[in-house]
Amino acid sequence: MAVLCGNSGEVCWTKYGSYPIHRPYCHEAALRILLACLESHANRYKRYIVPLLSVHMDFYVRVFVRVFTSAAEIKSSASKQAYVWQSQGCDSWWLQPVGQQQQKGSSIKHMPAHGPAVPQNRCPESGAAFLMGGPIWARPLHDQAWVAGLLQQMEAESGRYAQFARLKGILTSVLEELPDVPLYYNVHDMCRTVRCTPPRAEQLRSAIINAGFRVSGSHANPLALKTDAPPKVVWDIVRCWVKMHPIKPPEPGS
């Protein structure tokens, strides 16, 4: 788990073919690195994967996937993966797709994705340089319908599971996640960057929804903020919070 989360990037590269970045979203990134590795190995045999359930629990990750055979479908593999541009000065990140698809009549053309995904050479929020990690799986981690069916079946047979309450909590959290939004922010880490007291989660989520974007939590981290809002919007909300709740200057001599 430590290797997948970025403690030994070179080891992760040699074992899984991806370079991890040790950031607050590292537990979800570990799942996505593992899925990208499975997809890569399956492609060599004209197969591809469809994740059913991918979870981080305690000190390990576990994924359940279906494997299908299709020489045509594996051509889309590059468009299912992405590199991560991570700011070294704050928690801002951007995804850079590896490939893209273009529909031309009844045919689909596969080609490299356009880039770079970052707005400029330096992070617009902190002015710091970027780290580049990946590739990672950029498609959904779970099949929502399959998970909903699993949860319904478990509830009907709850007496068979000693850890039913915990399993139900994890699966419910999985169902509430935004399926098409990879990675997440950590509210406390963001506020630590600007040295302010963090707002309540519902306050931050309400601000993001009022700005016209979607937001959810993540089963991988109780402090996670998964949203399709760009980093600029998230940081603007944090800056407004700091303006409403000014940071106390340090005491002289402290």
Side-chain angles (χ1 to χ4, degrees), residues 127-177:
F130 293 103
L131 293 174
M132 188 174 179
I136 65 171
W137 180 259
R139 292 292 178 88
L141 292 174
H142 327 284
D143 182 328
Q144 301 290 90
W146 188 87
V147 175
L150 174 63
L151 181 58
Q152 184 177 8
Q153 182 178 353
M154 289 183 62
E155 288 176 335
E157 304 173 346
S158 59
R160 296 180 56 186
Y161 305 98
Q163 297 290 327
F164 171 73
R166 185 186 183 196
L167 292 173
K168 180 180 179 181
I170 293 174
L171 294 178
T172 301
S173 181
V174 163
L175 286 174
E176 293 174 350
E177 290 181 11

mmCIF file of all heavy atoms in Angstrom, residues 127-177:
data_model
loop_
_atom_site.group_PDB
_atom_site.id
_atom_site.type_symbol
_atom_site.label_atom_id
_atom_site.label_comp_id
_atom_site.label_asym_id
_atom_site.label_seq_id
_atom_site.Cartn_x
_atom_site.Cartn_y
_atom_site.Cartn_z
ATOM 1 N N GLY A 127 2.051 29.642 -7.844
ATOM 2 C CA GLY A 127 3.248 29.993 -8.601
ATOM 3 C C GLY A 127 4.321 28.920 -8.579
ATOM 4 O O GLY A 127 5.423 29.127 -9.080
ATOM 5 N N ALA A 128 3.992 27.743 -8.016
ATOM 6 C CA ALA A 128 4.973 26.661 -7.903
ATOM 7 C C ALA A 128 5.008 25.824 -9.184
ATOM 8 O O ALA A 128 4.109 25.894 -10.026
ATOM 9 C CB ALA A 128 4.629 25.774 -6.710
ATOM 10 N N ALA A 129 6.042 25.012 -9.307
ATOM 11 C CA ALA A 129 6.167 24.107 -10.437
ATOM 12 C C ALA A 129 5.230 22.911 -10.237
ATOM 13 O O ALA A 129 4.611 22.749 -9.182
ATOM 14 C CB ALA A 129 7.615 23.645 -10.578
ATOM 15 N N PHE A 130 5.160 22.068 -11.265
ATOM 16 C CA PHE A 130 4.275 20.912 -11.227
ATOM 17 C C PHE A 130 5.059 19.614 -11.096
ATOM 18 O O PHE A 130 6.189 19.499 -11.572
ATOM 19 C CB PHE A 130 3.434 20.832 -12.508
ATOM 20 C CG PHE A 130 2.441 21.945 -12.655
ATOM 21 C CD1 PHE A 130 2.683 22.996 -13.527
ATOM 22 C CD2 PHE A 130 1.259 21.938 -11.941
ATOM 23 C CE1 PHE A 130 1.771 24.014 -13.689
ATOM 24 C CE2 PHE A 130 0.332 22.959 -12.081
ATOM 25 C CZ PHE A 130 0.596 23.995 -12.953
ATOM 26 N N LEU A 131 4.416 18.643 -10.461
ATOM 27 C CA LEU A 131 4.851 17.252 -10.516
ATOM 28 C C LEU A 131 3.918 16.527 -11.481
ATOM 29 O O LEU A 131 2.745 16.869 -11.593
ATOM 30 C CB LEU A 131 4.772 16.591 -9.142
ATOM 31 C CG LEU A 131 5.731 17.096 -8.062
ATOM 32 C CD1 LEU A 131 5.395 16.434 -6.732
ATOM 33 C CD2 LEU A 131 7.166 16.823 -8.451
ATOM 34 N N MET A 132 4.441 15.532 -12.167
ATOM 35 C CA MET A 132 3.621 14.771 -13.105
ATOM 36 C C MET A 132 3.627 13.309 -12.708
ATOM 37 O O MET A 132 4.688 12.691 -12.591
ATOM 38 C CB MET A 132 4.150 14.938 -14.529
ATOM 39 C CG MET A 132 3.252 14.339 -15.588
ATOM 40 S SD MET A 132 3.847 14.740 -17.243
ATOM 41 C CE MET A 132 2.630 13.882 -18.240
ATOM 42 N N GLY A 133 2.458 12.757 -12.447
ATOM 43 C CA GLY A 133 2.332 11.365 -12.041
ATOM 44 C C GLY A 133 1.419 10.599 -12.978
ATOM 45 O O GLY A 133 0.745 11.168 -13.827
ATOM 46 N N GLY A 134 1.394 9.285 -12.801
ATOM 47 C CA GLY A 134 0.522 8.459 -13.605
ATOM 48 C C GLY A 134 1.289 7.590 -14.577
ATOM 49 O O GLY A 134 2.508 7.455 -14.474
ATOM 50 N N PRO A 135 0.553 7.002 -15.518
ATOM 51 C CA PRO A 135 -0.886 7.177 -15.756
ATOM 52 C C PRO A 135 -1.741 6.426 -14.736
ATOM 53 O O PRO A 135 -1.300 5.441 -14.148
ATOM 54 C CB PRO A 135 -1.070 6.589 -17.161
ATOM 55 C CG PRO A 135 0.003 5.548 -17.271
ATOM 56 C CD PRO A 135 1.176 6.096 -16.510
ATOM 57 N N ILE A 136 -2.967 6.938 -14.564
ATOM 58 C CA ILE A 136 -3.939 6.318 -13.665
ATOM 59 C C ILE A 136 -5.231 6.046 -14.429
ATOM 60 O O ILE A 136 -5.459 6.598 -15.497
ATOM 61 C CB ILE A 136 -4.240 7.207 -12.440
ATOM 62 C CG1 ILE A 136 -4.925 8.516 -12.879
ATOM 63 C CG2 ILE A 136 -2.978 7.500 -11.644
ATOM 64 C CD1 ILE A 136 -5.446 9.356 -11.736
ATOM 65 N N TRP A 137 -6.055 5.192 -13.880
ATOM 66 C CA TRP A 137 -7.375 4.907 -14.440
ATOM 67 C C TRP A 137 -8.241 6.145 -14.233
ATOM 68 O O TRP A 137 -8.380 6.635 -13.113
ATOM 69 C CB TRP A 137 -7.976 3.703 -13.735
ATOM 70 C CG TRP A 137 -9.329 3.287 -14.196
ATOM 71 C CD1 TRP A 137 -10.517 3.557 -13.593
ATOM 72 C CD2 TRP A 137 -9.642 2.494 -15.345
ATOM 73 N NE1 TRP A 137 -11.548 2.996 -14.286
ATOM 74 C CE2 TRP A 137 -11.047 2.331 -15.378
ATOM 75 C CE3 TRP A 137 -8.875 1.902 -16.347
ATOM 76 C CZ2 TRP A 137 -11.704 1.602 -16.370
ATOM 77 C CZ3 TRP A 137 -9.513 1.182 -17.345
ATOM 78 C CH2 TRP A 137 -10.908 1.036 -17.353
ATOM 79 N N ALA A 138 -8.853 6.660 -15.307
ATOM 80 C CA ALA A 138 -9.625 7.898 -15.218
ATOM 81 C C ALA A 138 -11.123 7.687 -15.390
ATOM 82 O O ALA A 138 -11.886 8.652 -15.377
ATOM 83 C CB ALA A 138 -9.125 8.901 -16.263
ATOM 84 N N ARG A 139 -11.536 6.445 -15.553
ATOM 85 C CA ARG A 139 -12.961 6.131 -15.676
ATOM 86 C C ARG A 139 -13.532 5.775 -14.296
ATOM 87 O O ARG A 139 -12.787 5.702 -13.308
ATOM 88 C CB ARG A 139 -13.142 4.976 -16.664
ATOM 89 C CG ARG A 139 -12.795 5.334 -18.115
ATOM 90 C CD ARG A 139 -13.783 6.332 -18.692
ATOM 91 N NE ARG A 139 -13.435 6.722 -20.050
ATOM 92 C CZ ARG A 139 -13.837 6.079 -21.139
ATOM 93 N NH1 ARG A 139 -14.581 4.980 -21.025
ATOM 94 N NH2 ARG A 139 -13.494 6.508 -22.341
ATOM 95 N N PRO A 140 -14.833 5.524 -14.188
ATOM 96 C CA PRO A 140 -15.428 5.215 -12.872
ATOM 97 C C PRO A 140 -14.766 4.028 -12.181
ATOM 98 O O PRO A 140 -14.354 3.054 -12.829
ATOM 99 C CB PRO A 140 -16.891 4.926 -13.222
ATOM 100 C CG PRO A 140 -17.149 5.730 -14.447
ATOM 101 C CD PRO A 140 -15.867 5.678 -15.230
ATOM 102 N N LEU A 141 -14.700 4.118 -10.856
ATOM 103 C CA LEU A 141 -14.131 3.039 -10.044
ATOM 104 C C LEU A 141 -15.138 1.925 -9.793
ATOM 105 O O LEU A 141 -14.749 0.802 -9.462
ATOM 106 C CB LEU A 141 -13.674 3.586 -8.692
ATOM 107 C CG LEU A 141 -12.495 4.548 -8.662
ATOM 108 C CD1 LEU A 141 -12.303 5.078 -7.245
ATOM 109 C CD2 LEU A 141 -11.227 3.856 -9.146
ATOM 110 N N HIS A 142 -16.425 2.247 -9.916
ATOM 111 C CA HIS A 142 -17.460 1.289 -9.541
ATOM 112 C C HIS A 142 -18.556 1.241 -10.610
ATOM 113 O O HIS A 142 -18.756 2.200 -11.359
ATOM 114 C CB HIS A 142 -18.117 1.670 -8.203
ATOM 115 C CG HIS A 142 -17.212 2.326 -7.216
ATOM 116 N ND1 HIS A 142 -16.276 1.624 -6.495
ATOM 117 C CD2 HIS A 142 -17.080 3.630 -6.847
ATOM 118 C CE1 HIS A 142 -15.612 2.470 -5.709
ATOM 119 N NE2 HIS A 142 -16.083 3.686 -5.913
ATOM 120 N N ASP A 143 -19.272 0.134 -10.611
ATOM 121 C CA ASP A 143 -20.513 0.016 -11.371
ATOM 122 C C ASP A 143 -21.636 0.291 -10.380
ATOM 123 O O ASP A 143 -21.955 -0.561 -9.534
ATOM 124 C CB ASP A 143 -20.630 -1.396 -11.974
ATOM 125 C CG ASP A 143 -21.879 -1.570 -12.825
ATOM 126 O OD1 ASP A 143 -22.908 -0.940 -12.518
ATOM 127 O OD2 ASP A 143 -21.821 -2.346 -13.792
ATOM 128 N N GLN A 144 -22.233 1.486 -10.457
ATOM 129 C CA GLN A 144 -23.196 1.912 -9.450
ATOM 130 C C GLN A 144 -24.380 0.951 -9.343
ATOM 131 O O GLN A 144 -24.857 0.657 -8.241
ATOM 132 C CB GLN A 144 -23.705 3.322 -9.781
ATOM 133 C CG GLN A 144 -22.621 4.390 -9.855
ATOM 134 C CD GLN A 144 -22.024 4.711 -8.507
ATOM 135 O OE1 GLN A 144 -21.039 4.096 -8.091
ATOM 136 N NE2 GLN A 144 -22.580 5.680 -7.818
ATOM 137 N N ALA A 145 -24.873 0.467 -10.477
ATOM 138 C CA ALA A 145 -26.014 -0.445 -10.457
ATOM 139 C C ALA A 145 -25.645 -1.765 -9.778
ATOM 140 O O ALA A 145 -26.428 -2.334 -9.012
ATOM 141 C CB ALA A 145 -26.509 -0.698 -11.883
ATOM 142 N N TRP A 146 -24.442 -2.248 -10.050
ATOM 143 C CA TRP A 146 -23.990 -3.508 -9.441
ATOM 144 C C TRP A 146 -23.840 -3.350 -7.929
ATOM 145 O O TRP A 146 -24.237 -4.226 -7.168
ATOM 146 C CB TRP A 146 -22.669 -3.934 -10.067
ATOM 147 C CG TRP A 146 -22.210 -5.292 -9.670
ATOM 148 C CD1 TRP A 146 -22.536 -6.487 -10.256
ATOM 149 C CD2 TRP A 146 -21.325 -5.615 -8.575
ATOM 150 N NE1 TRP A 146 -21.905 -7.527 -9.606
ATOM 151 C CE2 TRP A 146 -21.164 -7.026 -8.578
ATOM 152 C CE3 TRP A 146 -20.661 -4.855 -7.626
ATOM 153 C CZ2 TRP A 146 -20.375 -7.680 -7.641
ATOM 154 C CZ3 TRP A 146 -19.866 -5.503 -6.689
ATOM 155 C CH2 TRP A 146 -19.726 -6.904 -6.701
ATOM 156 N N VAL A 147 -23.271 -2.226 -7.501
ATOM 157 C CA VAL A 147 -23.089 -1.978 -6.068
ATOM 158 C C VAL A 147 -24.439 -1.851 -5.378
ATOM 159 O O VAL A 147 -24.643 -2.360 -4.268
ATOM 160 C CB VAL A 147 -22.238 -0.714 -5.839
ATOM 161 C CG1 VAL A 147 -22.152 -0.390 -4.347
ATOM 162 C CG2 VAL A 147 -20.835 -0.904 -6.411
ATOM 163 N N ALA A 148 -25.398 -1.167 -6.017
ATOM 164 C CA ALA A 148 -26.734 -1.028 -5.439
ATOM 165 C C ALA A 148 -27.395 -2.392 -5.276
ATOM 166 O O ALA A 148 -28.043 -2.676 -4.257
ATOM 167 C CB ALA A 148 -27.592 -0.115 -6.313
ATOM 168 N N GLY A 149 -27.229 -3.271 -6.276
ATOM 169 C CA GLY A 149 -27.781 -4.615 -6.169
ATOM 170 C C GLY A 149 -27.115 -5.424 -5.073
ATOM 171 O O GLY A 149 -27.777 -6.177 -4.354
ATOM 172 N N LEU A 150 -25.795 -5.270 -4.933
ATOM 173 C CA LEU A 150 -25.061 -5.966 -3.878
ATOM 174 C C LEU A 150 -25.528 -5.517 -2.505
ATOM 175 O O LEU A 150 -25.753 -6.342 -1.605
ATOM 176 C CB LEU A 150 -23.557 -5.697 -4.032
ATOM 177 C CG LEU A 150 -22.644 -6.235 -2.931
ATOM 178 C CD1 LEU A 150 -22.708 -7.753 -2.859
ATOM 179 C CD2 LEU A 150 -21.201 -5.775 -3.161
ATOM 180 N N LEU A 151 -25.706 -4.209 -2.338
ATOM 181 C CA LEU A 151 -26.158 -3.676 -1.054
ATOM 182 C C LEU A 151 -27.556 -4.177 -0.719
ATOM 183 O O LEU A 151 -27.842 -4.542 0.437
ATOM 184 C CB LEU A 151 -26.128 -2.151 -1.090
ATOM 185 C CG LEU A 151 -26.545 -1.422 0.187
ATOM 186 C CD1 LEU A 151 -25.674 -1.845 1.358
ATOM 187 C CD2 LEU A 151 -26.459 0.088 -0.003
ATOM 188 N N GLN A 152 -28.425 -4.220 -1.711
ATOM 189 C CA GLN A 152 -29.787 -4.713 -1.489
ATOM 190 C C GLN A 152 -29.784 -6.180 -1.072
ATOM 191 O O GLN A 152 -30.519 -6.579 -0.166
ATOM 192 C CB GLN A 152 -30.607 -4.517 -2.767
ATOM 193 C CG GLN A 152 -32.075 -4.897 -2.618
ATOM 194 C CD GLN A 152 -32.865 -4.632 -3.885
ATOM 195 O OE1 GLN A 152 -32.304 -4.299 -4.930
ATOM 196 N NE2 GLN A 152 -34.167 -4.791 -3.816
ATOM 197 N N GLN A 153 -28.930 -6.975 -1.711
ATOM 198 C CA GLN A 153 -28.847 -8.396 -1.362
ATOM 199 C C GLN A 153 -28.282 -8.583 0.045
ATOM 200 O O GLN A 153 -28.745 -9.445 0.807
ATOM 201 C CB GLN A 153 -27.977 -9.120 -2.379
ATOM 202 C CG GLN A 153 -27.863 -10.614 -2.131
ATOM 203 C CD GLN A 153 -27.034 -11.314 -3.195
ATOM 204 O OE1 GLN A 153 -26.647 -10.711 -4.187
ATOM 205 N NE2 GLN A 153 -26.741 -12.591 -2.968
ATOM 206 N N MET A 154 -27.277 -7.770 0.407
ATOM 207 C CA MET A 154 -26.693 -7.879 1.742
ATOM 208 C C MET A 154 -27.695 -7.488 2.818
ATOM 209 O O MET A 154 -27.731 -8.095 3.898
ATOM 210 C CB MET A 154 -25.438 -7.002 1.832
ATOM 211 C CG MET A 154 -24.263 -7.517 1.033
ATOM 212 S SD MET A 154 -22.793 -6.489 1.248
ATOM 213 C CE MET A 154 -22.504 -6.692 3.002
ATOM 214 N N GLU A 155 -28.505 -6.476 2.551
ATOM 215 C CA GLU A 155 -29.512 -6.052 3.532
ATOM 216 C C GLU A 155 -30.548 -7.151 3.762
ATOM 217 O O GLU A 155 -31.069 -7.305 4.872
ATOM 218 C CB GLU A 155 -30.183 -4.769 3.057
ATOM 219 C CG GLU A 155 -29.290 -3.542 3.153
ATOM 220 C CD GLU A 155 -29.949 -2.289 2.593
ATOM 221 O OE1 GLU A 155 -30.851 -2.426 1.737
ATOM 222 O OE2 GLU A 155 -29.563 -1.179 3.009
ATOM 223 N N ALA A 156 -30.842 -7.916 2.708
ATOM 224 C CA ALA A 156 -31.808 -9.008 2.845
ATOM 225 C C ALA A 156 -31.232 -10.175 3.638
ATOM 226 O O ALA A 156 -31.978 -11.003 4.175
ATOM 227 C CB ALA A 156 -32.260 -9.477 1.462
ATOM 228 N N GLU A 157 -29.889 -10.258 3.699
ATOM 229 C CA GLU A 157 -29.225 -11.358 4.412
ATOM 230 C C GLU A 157 -28.253 -10.806 5.446
ATOM 231 O O GLU A 157 -27.163 -11.333 5.630
ATOM 232 C CB GLU A 157 -28.482 -12.249 3.410
ATOM 233 C CG GLU A 157 -29.349 -12.805 2.297
ATOM 234 C CD GLU A 157 -28.554 -13.539 1.245
ATOM 235 O OE1 GLU A 157 -27.304 -13.390 1.226
ATOM 236 O OE2 GLU A 157 -29.149 -14.272 0.438
ATOM 237 N N SER A 158 -28.638 -9.740 6.112
ATOM 238 C CA SER A 158 -27.721 -9.043 7.023
ATOM 239 C C SER A 158 -27.211 -9.919 8.153
ATOM 240 O O SER A 158 -26.108 -9.717 8.669
ATOM 241 C CB SER A 158 -28.424 -7.809 7.606
ATOM 242 O OG SER A 158 -29.607 -8.190 8.306
ATOM 243 N N GLY A 159 -27.980 -10.917 8.559
ATOM 244 C CA GLY A 159 -27.563 -11.784 9.650
ATOM 245 C C GLY A 159 -26.358 -12.642 9.316
ATOM 246 O O GLY A 159 -25.706 -13.176 10.223
ATOM 247 N N ARG A 160 -26.017 -12.760 8.034
ATOM 248 C CA ARG A 160 -24.891 -13.600 7.629
ATOM 249 C C ARG A 160 -23.555 -12.871 7.769
ATOM 250 O O ARG A 160 -22.502 -13.505 7.682
ATOM 251 C CB ARG A 160 -25.065 -14.044 6.175
ATOM 252 C CG ARG A 160 -26.270 -14.925 5.918
ATOM 253 C CD ARG A 160 -26.350 -15.306 4.445
ATOM 254 N NE ARG A 160 -25.133 -15.959 3.999
ATOM 255 C CZ ARG A 160 -24.886 -16.287 2.733
ATOM 256 N NH1 ARG A 160 -25.788 -16.006 1.795
ATOM 257 N NH2 ARG A 160 -23.750 -16.881 2.401
ATOM 258 N N TYR A 161 -23.599 -11.560 7.967
ATOM 259 C CA TYR A 161 -22.367 -10.772 7.938
ATOM 260 C C TYR A 161 -22.098 -10.168 9.319
ATOM 261 O O TYR A 161 -22.881 -9.361 9.816
ATOM 262 C CB TYR A 161 -22.474 -9.651 6.906
ATOM 263 C CG TYR A 161 -22.817 -10.154 5.520
ATOM 264 C CD1 TYR A 161 -24.133 -10.111 5.056
ATOM 265 C CD2 TYR A 161 -21.851 -10.691 4.686
ATOM 266 C CE1 TYR A 161 -24.469 -10.574 3.791
ATOM 267 C CE2 TYR A 161 -22.169 -11.155 3.415
ATOM 268 C CZ TYR A 161 -23.473 -11.097 2.982
ATOM 269 O OH TYR A 161 -23.800 -11.558 1.731
ATOM 270 N N ALA A 162 -20.972 -10.576 9.915
ATOM 271 C CA ALA A 162 -20.615 -10.058 11.247
ATOM 272 C C ALA A 162 -20.309 -8.565 11.199
ATOM 273 O O ALA A 162 -20.545 -7.846 12.168
ATOM 274 C CB ALA A 162 -19.416 -10.832 11.799
ATOM 275 N N GLN A 163 -19.775 -8.102 10.077
ATOM 276 C CA GLN A 163 -19.426 -6.689 9.917
ATOM 277 C C GLN A 163 -20.421 -5.978 8.997
ATOM 278 O O GLN A 163 -20.043 -5.095 8.225
ATOM 279 C CB GLN A 163 -18.008 -6.575 9.343
ATOM 280 C CG GLN A 163 -16.912 -7.124 10.234
ATOM 281 C CD GLN A 163 -16.701 -6.263 11.466
ATOM 282 O OE1 GLN A 163 -16.863 -5.050 11.417
ATOM 283 N NE2 GLN A 163 -16.344 -6.879 12.576
ATOM 284 N N PHE A 164 -21.680 -6.344 9.103
ATOM 285 C CA PHE A 164 -22.682 -5.791 8.179
ATOM 286 C C PHE A 164 -22.759 -4.267 8.260
ATOM 287 O O PHE A 164 -22.825 -3.587 7.227
ATOM 288 C CB PHE A 164 -24.055 -6.395 8.474
ATOM 289 C CG PHE A 164 -25.161 -5.724 7.704
ATOM 290 C CD1 PHE A 164 -25.305 -5.948 6.338
ATOM 291 C CD2 PHE A 164 -26.038 -4.849 8.333
ATOM 292 C CE1 PHE A 164 -26.314 -5.314 5.623
ATOM 293 C CE2 PHE A 164 -27.051 -4.213 7.626
ATOM 294 C CZ PHE A 164 -27.184 -4.459 6.262
ATOM 295 N N ALA A 165 -22.764 -3.716 9.473
ATOM 296 C CA ALA A 165 -22.908 -2.261 9.624
ATOM 297 C C ALA A 165 -21.768 -1.519 8.922
ATOM 298 O O ALA A 165 -21.991 -0.505 8.242
ATOM 299 C CB ALA A 165 -22.944 -1.886 11.106
ATOM 300 N N ARG A 166 -20.559 -2.032 9.067
ATOM 301 C CA ARG A 166 -19.406 -1.385 8.427
ATOM 302 C C ARG A 166 -19.466 -1.520 6.907
ATOM 303 O O ARG A 166 -19.219 -0.568 6.177
ATOM 304 C CB ARG A 166 -18.112 -1.989 8.958
ATOM 305 C CG ARG A 166 -16.879 -1.278 8.427
ATOM 306 C CD ARG A 166 -15.599 -1.977 8.840
ATOM 307 N NE ARG A 166 -14.438 -1.243 8.377
ATOM 308 C CZ ARG A 166 -13.221 -1.738 8.324
ATOM 309 N NH1 ARG A 166 -13.005 -2.986 8.720
ATOM 310 N NH2 ARG A 166 -12.205 -1.016 7.892
ATOM 311 N N LEU A 167 -19.803 -2.720 6.440
ATOM 312 C CA LEU A 167 -19.894 -2.949 5.002
ATOM 313 C C LEU A 167 -20.988 -2.092 4.378
ATOM 314 O O LEU A 167 -20.811 -1.532 3.285
ATOM 315 C CB LEU A 167 -20.161 -4.427 4.720
ATOM 316 C CG LEU A 167 -19.030 -5.396 5.057
ATOM 317 C CD1 LEU A 167 -19.492 -6.836 4.892
ATOM 318 C CD2 LEU A 167 -17.813 -5.125 4.173
ATOM 319 N N LYS A 168 -22.099 -1.958 5.061
ATOM 320 C CA LYS A 168 -23.190 -1.126 4.558
ATOM 321 C C LYS A 168 -22.754 0.330 4.470
ATOM 322 O O LYS A 168 -23.059 1.025 3.496
ATOM 323 C CB LYS A 168 -24.412 -1.247 5.478
ATOM 324 C CG LYS A 168 -25.598 -0.407 5.001
ATOM 325 C CD LYS A 168 -26.788 -0.536 5.934
ATOM 326 C CE LYS A 168 -27.946 0.336 5.448
ATOM 327 N NZ LYS A 168 -29.128 0.241 6.362
ATOM 328 N N GLY A 169 -22.002 0.784 5.472
ATOM 329 C CA GLY A 169 -21.513 2.164 5.448
ATOM 330 C C GLY A 169 -20.582 2.424 4.276
ATOM 331 O O GLY A 169 -20.676 3.459 3.600
ATOM 332 N N ILE A 170 -19.681 1.475 4.000
ATOM 333 C CA ILE A 170 -18.732 1.640 2.890
ATOM 334 C C ILE A 170 -19.458 1.637 1.552
ATOM 335 O O ILE A 170 -19.222 2.500 0.696
ATOM 336 C CB ILE A 170 -17.665 0.535 2.932
ATOM 337 C CG1 ILE A 170 -16.776 0.703 4.158
ATOM 338 C CG2 ILE A 170 -16.817 0.555 1.657
ATOM 339 C CD1 ILE A 170 -15.787 -0.413 4.373
ATOM 340 N N LEU A 171 -20.369 0.686 1.358
ATOM 341 C CA LEU A 171 -21.093 0.594 0.089
ATOM 342 C C LEU A 171 -22.006 1.795 -0.119
ATOM 343 O O LEU A 171 -22.161 2.282 -1.242
ATOM 344 C CB LEU A 171 -21.894 -0.705 0.034
ATOM 345 C CG LEU A 171 -21.077 -1.999 0.003
ATOM 346 C CD1 LEU A 171 -21.990 -3.213 -0.012
ATOM 347 C CD2 LEU A 171 -20.143 -2.022 -1.206
ATOM 348 N N THR A 172 -22.601 2.285 0.948
ATOM 349 C CA THR A 172 -23.443 3.481 0.834
ATOM 350 C C THR A 172 -22.607 4.683 0.446
ATOM 351 O O THR A 172 -23.004 5.496 -0.403
ATOM 352 C CB THR A 172 -24.166 3.752 2.165
ATOM 353 O OG1 THR A 172 -24.975 2.615 2.516
ATOM 354 C CG2 THR A 172 -25.059 4.979 2.052
ATOM 355 N N SER A 173 -21.426 4.808 1.041
ATOM 356 C CA SER A 173 -20.512 5.894 0.678
ATOM 357 C C SER A 173 -20.077 5.788 -0.779
ATOM 358 O O SER A 173 -19.971 6.792 -1.489
ATOM 359 C CB SER A 173 -19.292 5.885 1.598
ATOM 360 O OG SER A 173 -18.396 6.929 1.288
ATOM 361 N N VAL A 174 -19.843 4.549 -1.238
ATOM 362 C CA VAL A 174 -19.467 4.321 -2.636
ATOM 363 C C VAL A 174 -20.569 4.797 -3.575
ATOM 364 O O VAL A 174 -20.308 5.442 -4.599
ATOM 365 C CB VAL A 174 -19.166 2.818 -2.864
ATOM 366 C CG1 VAL A 174 -19.186 2.481 -4.343
ATOM 367 C CG2 VAL A 174 -17.822 2.457 -2.253
ATOM 368 N N LEU A 175 -21.822 4.501 -3.224
ATOM 369 C CA LEU A 175 -22.952 4.893 -4.068
ATOM 370 C C LEU A 175 -23.136 6.405 -4.115
ATOM 371 O O LEU A 175 -23.669 6.940 -5.092
ATOM 372 C CB LEU A 175 -24.236 4.235 -3.559
ATOM 373 C CG LEU A 175 -24.382 2.740 -3.830
ATOM 374 C CD1 LEU A 175 -25.614 2.183 -3.145
ATOM 375 C CD2 LEU A 175 -24.440 2.471 -5.322
ATOM 376 N N GLU A 176 -22.699 7.100 -3.079
ATOM 377 C CA GLU A 176 -22.873 8.552 -3.025
ATOM 378 C C GLU A 176 -21.749 9.312 -3.714
ATOM 379 O O GLU A 176 -21.834 10.522 -3.897
ATOM 380 C CB GLU A 176 -22.982 9.001 -1.561
ATOM 381 C CG GLU A 176 -24.246 8.499 -0.870
ATOM 382 C CD GLU A 176 -24.264 8.826 0.611
ATOM 383 O OE1 GLU A 176 -23.203 9.267 1.138
ATOM 384 O OE2 GLU A 176 -25.314 8.637 1.250
ATOM 385 N N GLU A 177 -20.675 8.616 -4.104
ATOM 386 C CA GLU A 177 -19.562 9.282 -4.773
ATOM 387 C C GLU A 177 -19.939 9.712 -6.187
ATOM 388 O O GLU A 177 -20.736 9.047 -6.860
ATOM 389 C CB GLU A 177 -18.354 8.333 -4.863
ATOM 390 C CG GLU A 177 -17.683 8.032 -3.555
ATOM 391 C CD GLU A 177 -16.487 7.103 -3.733
ATOM 392 O OE1 GLU A 177 -16.082 6.877 -4.901
ATOM 393 O OE2 GLU A 177 -15.961 6.618 -2.716
#
